[in-house]
Amino acid sequence: MRLDELASKIGAKVHTPGRGANVEADQVYAGDRISDLLNAAGEHALLVSNLASTHLVRVAELMDIPGICLVNGQVPDAAMLDAAREHRTLLMASPLGLFETCGRVYECLATEKQT
Amino acid sequence: MTTAVYEIKGGDYERGGAASRAVKQQLKQVGADPAVVRRAMIAAYEAEMNVVIHTQGGELRACLHNGQLDIEVIDTGPGIADVEQALREGYSTASPKARELGFGAGMGLPNIKRNSDRFAIESALGRGTRVSFTILLKPQALYGAGRHSVQIVAERCRQSLRCLRACPTGAVRAFRGKPEILDYLCIDCTACIAACPTGTLMMSGTVGELKPAADTVLVVPAAALVQYGAGVTPQRVLDELTALGFREVRVVEAWEEALRAAVVAYAKAEAPVAPVISPACPAVVNLIETRFPSLIPHLAPFLSAIEAVRGELGGRQAICVALCPCQKTALRIGDGVQPDVLLPAVLRAAVMPRLNTNPPAGHGSSALGGGASADVLRVAGLRHVVRVLEAIEDGLVTDVPVIEPWICDKGCFGSPLLAEDAVLARSRWQTAPVERQASARAVRRNVPFEPRKGLRLDNDMTKAIHKLARIDKLKRSLPGGDCGICGAPTCAALAEDIVLGRAHPEACPRQGQSTPPSEKESGT
């Protein structure tokens, strides 16, 4: 599923579009520890995390991850937005918590697989 | 050998990761495999952040040489009290601030160790720590893999250059006086074999003799049964083959019919898009995966007839007559029985003498053959197939539910490996088909169709764009007549070959002829 499409389906707000319109995501990794997210990295992954900082964008950049979703309605600060813009990472923010956000994403990807 | 040194400031979370990013750029420039780059990045970033989180500062040295990346990360203290403990997963001494930012999971050193090919750590309390690791770089294959069964017998080549133009994907080159095939473009069809006047291009890896055995199944395509002239019915040939002493003789046509019925049913009940394209001809499937990837959803998810037959051999010995390289490839790749592959000419040589001596046998009941269905549009012949696929791509084919494309004329009857004319052979098959075989059925594919990777100009996007610009410029300087004398099928292909280093920069014998004489003279 395209990342921007996924964002609208799970009710997340897209802050920076990145390469999102052209990138398909079929994997989701959620976590609040950088090391875990590093290991989970993939070219078609979406990172879901509480870590609203530039480091998350850095991880996405180093590991070629196309998209990040912040949770709990967090608003990315200017530094994070700049970093995301610079590295063309799609940055979205979900009003829901980590668990619920992942649940919605899972639902979207699972329905897509069936059809 | 290039060594780069990057300073890392202790406590500077803002800039943490900058050194890793610089190393990544270097790796991309040398064309390292993306999976290797990812491993290198995990290790480098963890090592770099360790310095930021735990120390007063240090540096990261990255050295690229002999196909490997050596990284050394040195800091000036405070050092690790218990290195063994620090290497254990989950052990961390990170500050609350670091933990808040998502670091300090106690995974740093284990992560580095796991992702590197060599890892070492030394530390002295009060003096500092030195972490060094090596990552072996594999250059990334620039081209996607392609498998084909076309063989080149170079000494037969008389440089007619017909193969260059015949190839539907422009996969043939003749730069060094003989044809070569670019594997990633070859779709394993018969176009170059049919075009070659001297037999330079052939199907590879066939056996030279038909050896009947009581435990062996013989698999023959219908077209191979109608190569014996007027009056010799396919049933007669089939009877003679059976009499040679095989356990069983199977005619591929039965599986083609089963496939046709299954594809029609699929088109009615399940197909996500219309029209449905039958995967009957493996070369057509290759053509779609290479040149028409947007049509992949149109392909019905079944095995071709020859693959289905092979799957039902159940481990028995088999000899298969293949009419084209793609059938041979389909018989050889993947798991399962690897049957001997026979050229139709070898079968013919074995059958011919029997036809002269034995009395003709009676006809069987007419059941297998024809296979025409109102729902299925058969498109045969490379030129027609390409044009119809283009039309489907443009959304212009809305009136036909199922298309069955075949690369060769009249389907397999037009294979260049057969002696009889395609129209005559097919008509003889249709007027006197053979008895139906009961067990034939269509088989669903386990592996989905996938677009071929094709050519990448460069792993580095910047360089690739640069190359693209060079190709474009070069293309405009070439005559554009696509004469093929240089050995490339088109001027555009030559431009690409020159930029990718496959062809000599001055390979074009006519370059400059279209430019004004004064310019030409100054150039020579």
Side-chain angles (χ1 to χ4, degrees):
Chain A
M1 182 171 288
R2 271 171 44 175
L3 277 175
D4 51 355
E5 200 186 334
L6 186 66
S8 77
K9 284 203 171 148
I10 64 167
K13 183 183 172 206
V14 175
H15 288 279
T16 62
R19 294 158 288 156
N22 301 318
V23 180
E24 297 267 331
D26 53 16
Q27 297 167 317
V28 198
Y29 291 105
D32 292 337
R33 300 199 305 190
I34 297 280
S35 287
D36 294 346
L37 295 174
L38 268 178
N39 269 320
E43 279 174 28
H44 296 283
L46 173 72
L47 293 186
V48 182
S49 180
N50 276 298
L51 298 170
S53 78
T54 49
H55 299 287
L56 199 58
V57 182
R58 185 69 36 82
V59 168
E61 180 205 348
L62 291 177
M63 310 310 295
D64 295 319
I65 297 167
I68 294 173
C69 180
L70 296 178
V71 293
N72 286 322
Q74 291 191 83
V75 182
D77 60 11
M80 190 178 188
L81 284 174
D82 283 348
R85 239 175 252 126
E86 189 189 337
H87 306 303
R88 303 189 64 215
T89 305
L90 184 141
L91 179 58
M92 59 172 111
S94 161
L96 306 169
L98 192 73
F99 182 74
E100 276 189 298
T101 304
C102 288
R104 295 244 178 137
V105 173
Y106 176 82
E107 249 174 42
C108 287
L109 295 183
T111 345
E112 198 202 24
K113 260 182 205 150
Q114 278 169 14
T115 52
Chain B
M1 178 163 131
T2 39
T3 306
V5 184
Y6 307 97
E7 191 198 347
I8 308 169
K9 279 192 181 142
D12 186 357
Y13 286 90
E14 209 52 50
R15 291 201 52 240
S20 304
R21 187 202 293 169
V23 173
K24 185 184 179 185
Q25 279 308 320
Q26 283 198 327
L27 288 178
K28 277 169 75 180
Q29 271 163 5
V30 300
D33 186 276
V36 175
V37 175
R38 208 163 291 151
R39 276 171 46 214
M41 282 306 104
I42 296 175
Y45 186 67
E46 292 279 16
E48 186 180 356
M49 289 315 292
N50 271 349
V51 175
V52 173
I53 297 164
H54 298 284
T55 78
Q56 291 117 34
E59 61 186 25
L60 183 149
R61 293 162 169 270
C63 177
L64 270 171
H65 68 104
N66 298 338
Q68 66 184 59
L69 168 71
D70 287 330
I71 289 187
E72 211 179 8
V73 181
I74 307 162
D75 65 64
T76 52
I80 301 169
D82 187 344
V83 173
E84 221 170 282
Q85 203 167 21
L87 281 170
R88 223 175 288 147
E89 289 191 8
Y91 178 82
S92 177
T93 58
S95 65
K97 185 191 174 187
R99 286 171 193 262
E100 206 180 291
L101 289 168
F103 299 100
M107 292 295 294
L109 290 173
N111 251 351
I112 300 169
K113 203 173 166 186
R114 200 178 315 128
N115 285 291
S116 54
D117 296 296
R118 185 193 60 82
F119 171 82
I121 181 168
E122 301 158 29
S123 189
L125 263 185
R127 289 217 297 278
T129 305
R130 178 179 170 275
V131 173
S132 66
F133 53 91
T134 299
I135 307 234
L136 301 177
L137 309 173
K138 273 191 316 226
Q140 185 188 9
L142 274 178
Y143 317 124
R147 264 176 303 218
H148 65 78
S149 303
V150 182
Q151 170 191 318
I152 292 162
V153 189
E155 57 272 20
R156 292 189 191 153
C157 181
R158 294 285 170 274
Q159 298 180 33
S160 74
L161 302 179
R162 290 185 200 172
C163 50
L164 294 184
R165 293 192 185 186
C167 178
T169 55
V172 189
R173 297 290 184 277
F175 290 134
R176 281 159 279 272
K178 65 181 175 80
E180 292 164 55
I181 293 172
L182 302 176
D183 292 355
Y184 68 97
L185 285 176
C186 178
I187 61 162
D188 229 5
C189 71
T190 50
C192 58
I193 297 177
C196 181
T198 60
T200 305
L201 294 137
M202 277 306 301
M203 184 161 81
S204 69
T206 53
V207 293
E209 203 189 334
L210 179 65
K211 288 191 191 133
D215 61 341
T216 303
V217 179
L218 178 68
V219 178
V220 287
L225 300 176
V226 282
Q227 301 296 315
Y228 302 89
V232 182
T233 61
Q235 187 65 51
R236 167 85 201 283
V237 177
L238 192 58
D239 292 342
E240 291 297 344
L241 286 173
T242 313
L244 280 172
F246 285 100
R247 179 196 171 97
E248 193 186 336
V249 181
R250 294 183 184 176
V251 184
V252 183
E253 193 81 0
W255 278 264
E256 277 173 17
E257 277 190 10
L259 173 64
R260 193 169 294 126
V263 171
V264 169
Y266 168 82
K268 282 189 180 135
E270 302 172 54
V273 283
V276 168
I277 302 175
S278 165
C281 172
V284 169
V285 171
N286 290 338
L287 179 66
I288 289 174
E289 288 180 336
T290 308
R291 228 179 108 176
F292 300 96
S294 69
L295 296 183
I296 286 176
H298 290 261
L299 280 168
F302 294 93
L303 295 178
S304 68
I306 195 100
E307 290 166 299
V309 176
R310 180 192 176 193
E312 283 180 15
L313 288 172
R316 279 186 290 271
Q317 288 288 318
I319 299 174
C320 296
V321 177
L323 297 179
C324 60
C326 67
Q327 285 188 345
K328 196 225 137 183
T329 306
L331 288 167
R332 284 301 173 87
I333 57 171
D335 302 330
V337 191
Q338 297 242 328
D340 281 338
V341 178
L342 204 69
L343 281 169
V346 179
L347 186 82
R348 194 161 187 265
V351 174
M352 261 323 199
R354 300 181 63 91
L355 294 177
N356 298 333
T357 52
N358 294 4
H363 275 213
S365 59
S366 298
L368 186 58
S373 157
D375 295 331
V376 181
L377 177 67
R378 248 174 102 104
V379 182
L382 179 56
R383 200 165 57 91
H384 297 293
V385 169
V386 169
R387 292 190 60 181
V388 168
L389 292 180
E390 280 168 357
I392 299 174
E393 214 169 33
D394 295 342
L396 300 175
V397 185
T398 50
D399 48 350
V400 187
V402 177
I403 306 240
E404 191 180 286
W406 298 87
I407 291 281
C408 296
D409 274 340
K410 302 281 161 201
C412 296
F413 293 93
S415 160
L417 302 181
L418 293 171
E420 193 63 272
D421 174 75
V423 179
L424 279 176
R426 180 141 194 264
S427 126
R428 280 178 192 150
W429 171 258
Q430 283 177 320
T431 47
V434 302
E435 279 173 62
R436 181 180 290 276
Q437 284 159 317
S439 72
R441 63 190 181 91
V443 182
R444 288 253 176 186
R445 287 175 66 94
N446 297 323
V447 187
F449 298 109
E450 265 181 34
R452 276 211 206 166
K453 265 190 180 163
L455 174 70
R456 294 172 64 180
L457 296 175
D458 203 291
N459 293 314
D460 186 309
M461 190 57 79
T462 322
K463 283 188 184 171
I465 291 168
H466 185 64
K467 281 183 182 172
L468 199 64
R470 273 175 63 203
I471 290 170
D472 200 47
K473 195 176 158 203
L474 198 55
K475 204 159 64 186
R476 272 180 275 133
S477 79
L478 292 169
D482 297 345
C483 68
I485 295 171
C486 63
T490 60
C491 292
L494 177 65
E496 192 177 290
D497 290 337
I498 291 173
V499 171
L500 292 175
R502 283 198 295 245
H504 193 272
E506 283 156 26
C508 177
R510 293 169 58 200
Q511 188 169 25
Q513 282 181 8
S514 57
T515 52
S518 58
E519 223 174 90
K520 187 182 144 196
E521 273 165 28
S522 67
T524 48

